[in-house]
Amino acid sequence: MALTHPIRRYLLLGLLGGALLLSACGSHSYRGTVLEPPSPAPDFTLTAHTGQPFRLSEQRGKVVLLFFGFTNCPDICPTALNDLAVVRRKLGADAAQVQVAFVTVDPERDTLERLQQYVRIFDKTFLGLRGTQAELSPILKAYGATAIRRDLPNSALGYTMDHSAFTYLIDQQGKWRELFNDSVSTDDMAGDIRYIVRNGVT
């Protein structure tokens, strides 16, 4: 089954179908939601927890795994990042060709220092990315991601962020190839990523 543009249709089909999509690229059967045809990943520049600028288009040559979340997230984000850490271990030497980037959707609370402390809990190679709300809004829109503030009047936190929970796979050429949701196992994620790392795609 091949998906067509626009980008939001990929997300909608992934949510509704949850189906296993097969790729015609070589003999590998992809386990996530495959974008057919692949789309150039929307470029952006944010600040990494290291204090250095992170520009997506400058990551060419590596597979980038992008996730939008926030450090006060009670379950979805830590589960996703833990899974990505497991995936990196499963990849072995191939993990050197993969960069995980965690983009906070809560810049009001997630300082660079807090992001650094948070992502290093899972893997020291992970990057936490931050921008102003004005910088984040067009990025979220470009990737079809959602992040909505919800007040918690009876909680010490004050508010939480309701957000979508996809991992976006961007290949070595900067093309958006695949979406993973939480139903894809770490073995299957590692298999797809390993295939792209070793074989590349055109």
Side-chain angles (χ1 to χ4, degrees), residues 69-72 104 106-112 114-115 130:
F70 65 114
T71 64
N72 281 309
T104 180
D106 185 16
E108 180 178 332
R109 292 184 295 203
D110 287 345
T111 63
L112 294 182
R114 185 175 179 86
L115 282 170
R130 184 184 184 279

Side-chain angles (χ1 to χ4, degrees), residues 21-124:
L21 298 182
L22 303 182
S23 168
C25 179
S27 60
H28 183 76
S29 295
Y30 288 98
R31 301 296 176 171
T33 300
V34 178
L35 278 67
E36 293 288 357
S39 172
D43 197 16
F44 62 83
T45 301
L46 292 171
T47 303
H49 71 252
T50 59
Q52 299 300 311
F54 175 100
R55 185 169 185 176
L56 182 62
S57 59
E58 293 178 352
Q59 309 306 309
R60 301 292 169 84
K62 284 191 172 185
V63 170
V64 176
L65 301 175
L66 194 63
F67 188 87
F68 296 94
F70 65 114
T71 64
N72 281 309
C73 182
D75 43 26
I76 294 173
C77 299
T79 298
L81 290 180
N82 183 69
D83 285 349
L84 289 172
V86 171
V87 166
R88 285 197 85 257
R89 293 195 291 272
K90 290 178 182 292
L91 288 172
D94 290 329
Q97 304 304 314
V98 176
Q99 179 62 65
V100 173
F102 175 78
V103 180
T104 180
V105 297
D106 185 16
E108 180 178 332
R109 292 184 295 203
D110 287 345
T111 63
L112 294 182
E113 181 181 8
R114 185 175 179 86
L115 282 170
Q116 179 181 31
Q117 294 170 348
Y118 186 72
V119 296
R120 287 179 66 87
I121 293 172
F122 303 96
D123 190 289
K124 65 180 181 180

